[in-house]
Amino acid sequence: MAKLHSSINEVYLSPRARSALEPSLTDQDQIRNFCIIAHIDHGKSTLADRMLQLTGIVEDRQMRAQYLDRMDIERERGITIKSQAVRLPWELDNKTFALNMIDTPGHVDFTYEVSRSLAACEGAVLLVDAAQGIEAQTLANLYLAMENDLEIIPVLNKIDLPAAQTEKYAEELANLIGGSPDDCLRVSGKTGVGVEELLDRIVQRVPAPTGDINAPARAMIFDSVYDSYRGVVTYVRMIDGRLSSREQIQMMSTRAVHELLEIGVISPEPVVTKGLAAGEVGYLITGVKDVRLSKVGDTVTTKDKPAKLSLKGYAEPKPMVFSGIYPIDGSDYPNLREALDKLRLSDASLVYEPETSAALGFGFRCGFLGLLHLEIITERLEREFNLSLIATAPSVVYQVTREDNTEFIVTNPSEFPEGKIKVVKEPIVKATILSPKDYVGTIMDLCQTRRGTMIDMQYLGEDRVQLRYQLPLAEIVFDFFDQLKSKTQGYGSLDYEEAGYLPGDLVKVDLLLQGEKVDAFSSIVHKDKAYGHGTKITSKLRELIPRQQFEVPIQAAVGSRIIARESVRAVRKDVLAKCYGGDISRKRKLLEKQKEGKKRMKMVGRVEVPQDAFIKALSSDETSGTEKKK
Amino acid sequence: MSASLPLGLPWPESNLIPPRFDDLKTFHAYVHIPFCEFRCGYCDFNTYTAKEIGGLSQSSFHESLITEIDASAKILENSGYQKRSLSTLFFGGGTPSLFTSNQIEQIMTSLKGHYGFLPDIEITLEANPESASPKYLEQLAAVGVNRISLGVQSFDPKVLATLERVHDPDKVGPILKAAAELGLESSLDLIYGAPNESLDSWRKTVEIAASMGTGHVSAYSLIVEPGTKLARQIKVGELPETDDDLDAEKFEIADQVFQANGLPWYEVANWGKPSKHNHAYWGSADWWGFGPGAHSHLSGNRFWNTKHPLSYQKQLANGSPVAGIEYIDARTNLEERLMLELRTSTGIPLKVLAELGIIKSTIDPFVLDGSLKIENENLAVTAAGRLFVDRIVLQLLTN
Ligand SMILES: Nc1nc2c(ncn2[C@@H]2O[C@H](COP(=O)(O)OP(=O)(O)OP(=O)(O)O)[C@@H](O)[C@H]2O)c(=O)[nH]1
Ligand SMILES: C[S@@+](CC[C@H](N)C(=O)[O-])C[C@H]1O[C@@H](n2cnc3c(N)ncnc32)[C@H](O)[C@@H]1O
Ligand code: SF4
Ligand SMILES: [Mg+2]
């Protein structure tokens, strides 16, 4: 990262537009709206950096890598989680343009962010890492862009890398979207090479918006974010007409009227404007405090001259995995509720409802878009709200029908109904896996053990293969991706989409500590895997649970049948019997450390269970539980 | 003395450490002699095997210690401490028996001059059997040392070899006999749990120790300290790992044998006639620790010297050799008391628990399961609870 900056300075970068066009007074034919889409880590945000610099809206000395990744968690993990829209001035053939660029996330959990951004654009820069080639989210995002009728501009990035295979991948890209390999621009987001040409190409190729400037205002909400200082900030793409500050606006779905307190564009900080007009992208502030009152997908119009027809909205993101979130200290429950309420203000995809666990007390069953989303939300809850939490192993949603025809929707394995079961249906996904051809066999084995059915297989280039599988979501949600990565030396990539429900031969495996069922450890697995699962979880817990003053038997059971057992032997001694002389401070520091450690323990009955055991026990990560026990 | 020093605040520029608590405690001195002939494989104490380090020599190192003693007296006086005579004095190491009795005497003279000795002062010197001849003991007795603590560790030559101890276990008997004849009290240090030490070997060690007529025994469980040769040997598989369960059994064996031989248990690692000096540590009394890496406690001021003898000497010449100081507040003081006093057979006054806000319902489960008992307004561990003190303290403070 540090090196990045010095190399930028080696290239001459200067703003090309002498004056920016004034928002709300810009002709639509001078506007270009595009987003940057790619597989994760192919360099979208870094390319966006160069655009910010080249167009002069961020000065060199204020530049930092991935400027638009503003959240701490984005910066720490080096990934984009939220889309960011920025207005850039650009000049071509003595004509000034306003470009709206949207940097999007690449991770599959945040695909819904991409689809929202696409609806605000007429074009998409499809970025491909020239050292990696086409990967699963390249395809997924390309298809999304095509469904939205966007002009696709293919671009190979990172051509500065010694490992770049520019020609080969240009050909692959051409095969994929048609046209010649020469149509594919070659850039480096790192050095800035080719970025000017790219901006020119965007002006030339992306169609200008064609809204009706005289029609009643219609603006599509594509993002809505809660900000503790400013309340809800709503990002819109103006389709028709115009909005001006101090106007009364109306949400078309609810007919709710709000005063427009502030309107503006992001460039790359908020810039207040007089208004926004058809074709433009910008933000609105109305003083509402809850994003649900300014909902993504809704259409904004004015109270005085309301539009008749609202714009087509977006499908709401649907949670794919559920996990129970519990405070370690039960008295934190109200704080957890408050924290979730606050987080939901900026993340409408987060859903939750209260639940109770015999083992863990009061908590919430939360729905997430995927495991990364789960990880990020729990991390933000802990960090931003100073909570110490337990997350139970993620589960998908099952549809269970009993012999008596009562139906159950099971988001929590411990709520799996008792009694005779007629059928259990589980969610299925259609997975697309891309990989060099050498790994096809390995991938097929992996999908096989995960109960997959192959749909088809197809070559995308001379050695790149696309495999499509139908797989139970439960089989891939947890560690499938890690397995895929390690079995393909990092070359395999995965994308998936929902594909309905199918019956499966599924059973609930319970876990018992000291003979008592611990609901938080229950899981639903395929019948043939129950034994393996039981053995794995009991032996993992034997490693994870520290020795207590008494023996702790651990058993796994299906119904009343015990399928695996282990035990944690009682500890016989827990006292430091060394001569420490007068060094009391050292001994006290040790005690302080133990106190901290204890905060990460949850009492389950009489047994102290480490906070992370609830996830680790069910993960296949072999390195977990390395703490040695004798 | 420990491998790494805790982080603390810098020594105050004022050079003052006023008392932080009202009650006046007894006053004690610890003198650290940071030299050994040979570094034992398991040891991470602050000790050095060179005779000369830079410009520093073992034979004149007592002069630095005396410089610190002179300075300490001024600091205590200026800080407003009442003048108190010493209740105990402990020469520890390292191997204090590498100092000549003359060096010991000069240190004692300085301490006595500045502070004075109480009539029943306990003056202990840690000695290794190989450097503690009857003749040397006689010289020590002559300069006023009245208690000898002998680093025996084991009577099993195989265990001694694992521990890399260089002494001959047969020398221990005669040394103790000589000590007794000179009127010196004595104590033995033992270590249990060395790799490959069998239960039998340990039983023999404690039986021999108990039969030697000493009035006091310390038995420590071997701690594999990071960075030691022992840790490396275990890591590469040259030696087997230590085993906590076996250690527990060895503790019980030791306890059984010592108690049967008139050495009552009084602290996690100690049996016999209690050492007054140890009680100063456990009872949060006041002591000044002289020498490199030594720790002091004076009425809520805990501080420790820089570890290396050379930098100790240099810093002493320019001012204070203290590497860090910590100011103990009332709450921390109470927690320390719980942590230390619950290790002893006397236990901790219920009053202290009340002040800590530890309520009856937190204590009761331990009384019920038989690990704690209440006697004479004190809470103390039972025979069953002794080996769980650290866990019990943690639970009392966090439940
Ligand atoms: N050598 C080289 N490295 C690049 C280039 N562009 C990006 N990178 C590096 O690739 C990594 C990923 O870059 P990002 O810009 O964060 O990628 P992204 O596509 O925005 O990633 P997500 O938002 O998480 O999907 C970073 O380490 C960048 O420094 C390039 O042109 N050349
Ligand atoms: C201050 S030390 C050194 C005294 C003296 N030099 C000797 O070794 O005999 C006092 C005692 O601590 C014990 N000891 C030293 N290192 C230890 C370790 N790693 N684990 C347990 N006890 C230890 C030994 O019993 C030793 O006698
Ligand atoms: S003699 Fe004592 S202080 Fe010296 S190295 Fe051995 S155990 Fe450590
Ligand atoms: Mg990014």
Side-chain angles (χ1 to χ4, degrees):
Chain A
M1 292 287 162
K3 270 195 73 190
L4 192 68
H5 212 100
S6 64
S7 57
I8 290 161
N9 293 333
E10 288 160 19
V11 213
Y12 178 61
L13 299 178
S14 76
R16 283 258 298 261
R18 273 169 291 265
S19 62
L21 294 168
E22 193 175 333
S24 89
L25 300 174
T26 307
D27 264 356
Q28 290 191 79
D29 64 341
Q30 282 167 283
I31 297 174
R32 300 291 182 270
N33 296 313
F34 71 97
C35 48
I36 311 178
I37 55 176
H39 190 76
I40 190 165
D41 270 352
H42 280 207
K44 297 173 290 294
S45 304
T46 306
L47 175 64
D49 287 349
R50 297 294 81 73
M51 292 182 171
L52 297 179
Q53 250 178 323
L54 201 54
T55 57
I57 65 165
V58 176
E59 287 174 36
D60 285 357
R61 70 190 153 77
Q62 281 164 345
M63 196 63 214
R64 54 172 190 184
Q66 287 94 33
Y67 191 94
L68 297 177
D69 288 346
R70 300 174 202 247
M71 282 195 278
D72 286 347
I73 210 159
E74 292 183 307
R75 301 205 65 77
E76 280 165 24
R77 293 172 178 247
I79 57 168
T80 305
I81 294 168
K82 283 214 73 81
S83 288
Q84 295 279 339
V86 184
R87 184 173 169 120
L88 311 167
W90 191 246
E91 216 171 274
L92 179 65
D93 301 334
N94 290 322
K95 196 169 163 197
T96 308
F97 294 86
L99 310 184
N100 279 299
M101 177 262 286
I102 307 183
D103 178 23
T104 65
H107 192 278
V108 59
D109 280 11
F110 306 115
T111 301
Y112 79 104
E113 283 271 333
V114 182
S115 41
R116 284 162 18 176
S117 309
L118 292 169
C121 299
E122 282 77 28
V125 170
L126 179 68
L127 203 63
V128 172
D129 185 325
Q132 304 286 331
I134 294 166
E135 299 196 69
Q137 273 85 45
T138 317
L139 286 187
N141 290 329
L142 168 66
Y143 297 150
L144 274 178
M146 289 180 12
E147 274 166 34
N148 282 268
D149 274 334
L150 300 198
E151 174 72 25
I152 311 284
I153 301 184
V155 178
L156 282 169
N157 187 30
K158 309 199 190 179
I159 56 166
D160 60 290
L161 286 176
Q165 291 182 274
T166 314
E167 296 319 310
K168 178 175 164 194
Y169 294 137
E171 194 133 335
E172 274 189 14
L173 257 176
N175 279 344
L176 193 63
I177 52 180
S180 115
D182 296 336
D183 295 343
C184 200
L185 284 176
R186 287 116 216 257
V187 309
S188 164
K190 182 172 169 187
T191 65
V193 164
V195 180
E196 288 196 30
E197 290 79 355
L198 172 57
L199 287 167
D200 290 348
R201 175 80 57 101
I202 289 165
V203 171
Q204 290 158 349
R205 294 271 300 277
V206 174
T210 54
D212 183 350
I213 185 85
N214 297 311
R218 289 200 298 173
M220 161 70 87
I221 301 182
F222 68 89
D223 202 1
S224 205
V225 174
Y226 178 78
D227 174 314
S228 46
Y229 297 108
R230 305 192 298 167
V232 173
V233 182
T234 301
Y235 293 86
V236 294
R237 158 70 197 270
M238 291 298 300
I239 304 295
D240 294 323
R242 56 177 82 243
L243 291 174
S244 324
S245 67
R246 292 286 149 198
E247 209 167 1
Q248 302 265 310
I249 58 162
Q250 193 168 44
M251 300 297 165
M252 289 192 72
S253 68
T254 58
R255 299 278 149 200
V257 173
H258 305 290
E259 171 117 10
L260 198 49
L261 300 180
E262 185 179 322
I263 187 165
V265 296
I266 305 290
S267 193
E269 307 310 325
V271 179
V272 178
T273 66
K274 294 203 187 78
L276 289 173
E280 291 184 306
V281 172
Y283 71 91
L284 315 172
I285 293 176
T286 61
V288 302
K289 293 279 179 229
D290 187 335
V291 280
R292 284 167 298 172
L293 300 176
S294 196
K295 216 170 158 157
V296 169
D298 203 349
T299 305
V300 181
T301 187
T302 60
K303 187 182 165 222
D304 290 347
K305 199 177 140 193
K308 297 216 168 56
L309 274 184
S310 53
L311 300 159
K312 187 172 137 259
Y314 309 97
E316 291 219 13
K318 220 166 76 198
M320 302 279 259
V321 292
F322 285 78
S323 164
I325 307 276
Y326 292 84
I328 289 207
D329 178 350
S331 66
D332 269 340
Y333 177 74
N335 301 335
L336 174 58
R337 173 193 293 280
E338 199 172 302
L340 282 167
D341 288 345
K342 283 220 177 99
L343 271 193
R344 181 168 57 188
L345 295 183
S346 49
D347 185 349
S349 62
L350 172 66
V351 298
Y352 52 90
E353 57 181 43
E355 76 171 2
T356 38
S357 151
L360 303 178
F362 292 102
F364 293 89
R365 177 108 317 224
C366 304
F368 302 97
L369 302 165
L371 234 45
L372 178 64
H373 188 215
L374 184 163
E375 221 178 88
I376 281 168
I377 293 293
T378 44
E379 191 175 321
R380 288 185 62 187
L381 286 170
E382 293 205 312
R383 279 207 327 203
E384 294 170 28
F385 301 92
N386 199 16
L387 294 164
S388 197
L389 301 175
I390 288 173
T392 62
S395 161
V396 301
V397 182
Y398 297 93
Q399 300 172 348
V400 185
T401 312
R402 252 187 347 208
E403 289 285 359
D404 61 7
N405 284 329
T406 36
E407 295 189 3
F408 299 84
I409 300 292
V410 177
T411 58
N412 178 347
S414 72
E415 286 163 5
F416 198 85
E418 307 284 334
K420 279 230 181 308
I421 305 296
K422 189 155 138 198
V423 62
V424 185
K425 289 186 178 169
E426 61 177 332
I428 301 295
V429 295
K430 200 168 88 185
T432 304
I433 298 166
L434 261 61
S435 146
K437 66 170 184 297
D438 298 351
Y439 300 107
V440 166
T442 330
I443 294 170
M444 285 167 64
D445 286 348
L446 177 62
C447 291
Q448 185 79 38
T449 62
R450 301 302 177 103
R451 301 191 279 130
T453 322
M454 192 193 273
I455 302 168
D456 59 14
M457 178 170 120
Q458 164 186 353
Y459 275 78
L460 291 184
E462 51 189 69
D463 74 342
R464 191 176 302 272
V465 178
Q466 170 186 290
L467 293 137
R468 292 198 305 160
Y469 266 89
Q470 179 177 297
L471 283 153
L473 175 61
E475 293 283 346
I476 67 166
V477 83
F478 215 56
D479 60 349
F480 182 80
F481 187 56
D482 291 339
Q483 292 283 317
L484 177 69
K485 278 275 169 209
S486 76
K487 289 192 194 305
T488 60
Q489 256 117 46
Y491 288 112
S493 59
L494 166 77
D495 190 74
Y496 59 84
E497 57 189 35
E498 297 165 60
Y501 273 75
L502 283 178
D505 205 351
L506 303 165
V507 294
K508 180 170 76 147
V509 178
D510 288 317
L511 191 110
L512 297 84
L513 287 183
Q514 294 191 304
E516 297 285 335
K517 205 182 278 182
V518 182
D519 54 4
F521 282 119
S522 296
S523 39
I524 295 170
V525 299
H526 191 264
K527 206 170 118 246
D528 296 345
K529 295 186 173 182
Y531 175 77
H533 176 84
T535 316
K536 190 178 87 182
I537 181 171
T538 47
S539 66
K540 281 227 160 172
L541 280 177
R542 192 182 72 91
E543 295 295 321
L544 289 166
I545 297 178
R547 293 173 66 180
Q548 326 261 322
Q549 249 170 288
F550 40 84
E551 183 180 346
V552 182
I554 309 170
Q555 296 162 306
V558 173
S560 56
R561 193 165 48 93
I562 303 294
I563 55 171
R565 68 181 84 226
E566 288 276 2
S567 97
V568 178
R569 279 186 303 134
V571 65
R572 293 200 44 197
K573 172 172 174 285
D574 188 354
V575 62
L576 194 68
K578 190 192 171 186
C579 164
Y580 46 84
D583 188 357
I584 310 299
S585 302
R586 185 192 198 194
K587 201 160 161 40
R588 204 187 64 244
K589 296 272 146 71
L590 203 69
L591 177 64
E592 296 303 332
K593 235 174 86 187
Q594 288 168 335
K595 279 197 212 165
E596 282 308 307
K598 218 182 145 200
K599 286 196 192 137
R600 294 187 294 273
M601 292 285 178
K602 179 80 189 176
M603 291 305 285
V604 176
R606 287 168 69 216
V607 185
E608 271 185 7
V609 179
Q611 172 185 18
D612 53 8
F614 295 87
I615 293 232
K616 277 194 178 157
L618 293 157
S619 81
S620 64
D621 169 16
E622 298 306 324
T623 57
S624 69
T626 45
E627 210 172 306
K628 212 187 40 59
K629 258 188 276 150
K630 289 157 265 170
Chain B
M1 299 222 311
S2 62
S4 64
L5 289 173
L7 288 172
L9 298 166
W11 179 252
E13 257 168 55
S14 65
N15 236 2
L16 299 178
I17 43 162
R20 296 172 55 79
F21 303 131
D22 293 337
D23 53 338
L24 195 65
K25 297 289 181 81
T26 51
F27 185 51
H28 310 256
Y30 172 80
V31 180
H32 190 68
I33 316 290
F35 306 107
C36 286
E37 279 292 348
F38 180 79
R39 161 82 65 173
C40 309
Y42 58 90
C43 177
D44 75 335
F45 283 104
N46 187 34
T47 186
Y48 304 81
T49 49
K51 292 265 179 298
E52 312 278 335
I53 313 174
L56 176 158
S57 94
Q58 274 185 32
S59 52
S60 62
F61 194 69
H62 61 283
E63 289 164 13
S64 299
L65 297 168
I66 290 168
T67 311
E68 192 187 353
I69 294 169
D70 294 339
S72 72
K74 275 209 197 71
I75 292 167
L76 290 183
E77 192 185 334
N78 294 341
S79 301
Y81 288 84
Q82 245 179 62
K83 198 158 187 280
R84 284 168 291 175
S85 297
L86 285 166
S87 298
T88 69
L89 164 57
F90 194 100
F91 290 93
T95 309
S97 48
L98 290 179
F99 263 24
T100 63
S101 59
N102 182 261
Q103 285 176 292
I104 299 290
E105 182 178 25
Q106 290 187 44
I107 294 168
M108 285 174 52
T109 307
S110 166
L111 281 168
K112 191 168 186 178
H114 282 295
Y115 295 111
F117 288 170
L118 284 181
D120 59 346
I121 185 170
E122 171 190 284
I123 303 180
T124 310
L125 185 134
E126 251 177 6
N128 287 24
E130 70 276 9
S131 53
S133 62
K135 173 110 180 54
Y136 180 63
L137 294 190
E138 198 182 319
Q139 293 166 347
L140 289 178
V143 303
V145 171
N146 55 25
R147 189 168 177 273
I148 203 87
S149 166
L150 210 56
V152 172
Q153 322 310 354
S154 170
F155 285 100
D156 181 339
K158 278 204 227 111
V159 172
L160 288 173
T162 309
L163 293 175
E164 303 193 312
R165 298 291 295 193
V166 293
H167 66 259
D168 173 358
D170 293 341
K171 292 266 167 65
V172 174
I175 295 171
L176 287 180
K177 192 157 157 269
E181 279 162 8
L182 290 161
L184 296 173
E185 288 189 48
S186 67
S187 172
L188 298 186
D189 280 356
L190 301 176
I191 290 184
Y192 55 95
N196 295 323
E197 179 190 58
S198 65
L199 285 174
D200 262 355
S201 157
W202 174 246
R203 182 180 289 279
K204 280 208 190 85
T205 287
V206 291
E207 277 168 355
I208 298 171
S211 71
M212 287 203 160
T214 181
H216 187 274
V217 183
S218 302
Y220 304 113
S221 73
L222 181 68
I223 307 295
V224 181
E225 299 288 355
T228 56
K229 181 172 172 192
L230 176 69
R232 209 165 50 243
Q233 288 170 314
I234 290 176
K235 197 169 162 222
V236 302
E238 221 170 277
L239 290 174
E241 307 221 7
T242 57
D243 180 336
D244 254 8
D245 291 356
L246 264 187
D247 284 358
E249 231 166 292
K250 287 176 183 171
F251 173 91
E252 299 299 349
I253 292 174
D255 186 56
Q256 186 202 328
V257 173
F258 294 147
Q259 306 250 36
N261 285 275
L263 296 166
W265 175 82
Y266 75 97
E267 196 263 358
V268 167
N270 291 283
W271 286 261
K273 179 189 161 196
S275 136
K276 282 200 284 173
H277 188 76
N278 276 345
H279 266 302
Y281 294 153
W282 305 329
S284 309
D286 284 359
W287 72 90
W288 194 295
F290 301 97
H295 284 249
S296 306
H297 172 252
L298 286 140
S299 184
N301 301 285
R302 288 201 186 281
F303 50 93
W304 47 92
N305 286 341
T306 190
K307 285 179 74 174
H308 197 278
L310 206 57
S311 45
Y312 164 82
Q313 206 177 36
K314 280 209 187 102
Q315 289 182 32
L316 192 59
N318 300 328
S320 168
V322 170
I325 181 165
E326 224 174 32
Y327 304 105
I328 305 301
D329 59 27
R331 164 86 202 174
T332 311
N333 175 49
L334 292 173
E335 291 197 6
E336 284 183 352
R337 286 194 59 183
L338 175 65
M339 172 182 95
L340 297 169
E341 291 174 40
L342 204 58
R343 295 171 67 93
T344 65
S345 56
T346 321
I348 177 138
L350 288 174
K351 195 173 84 345
V352 175
L353 291 159
E355 284 174 61
L356 274 166
I358 297 172
I359 51 178
K360 193 170 168 308
S361 63
T362 308
I363 301 170
D364 281 350
F366 298 99
V367 177
L368 275 176
D369 77 8
S371 41
L372 292 180
K373 61 183 178 200
I374 295 176
E375 256 173 25
N376 318 321
E377 292 302 297
N378 270 14
L379 182 73
V381 284
T382 62
R386 288 183 296 198
L387 286 181
F388 295 100
V389 179
D390 287 354
R391 170 174 296 240
I392 295 170
V393 167
L394 181 63
Q395 283 173 349
L396 288 176
L397 288 175
T398 53
N399 280 3

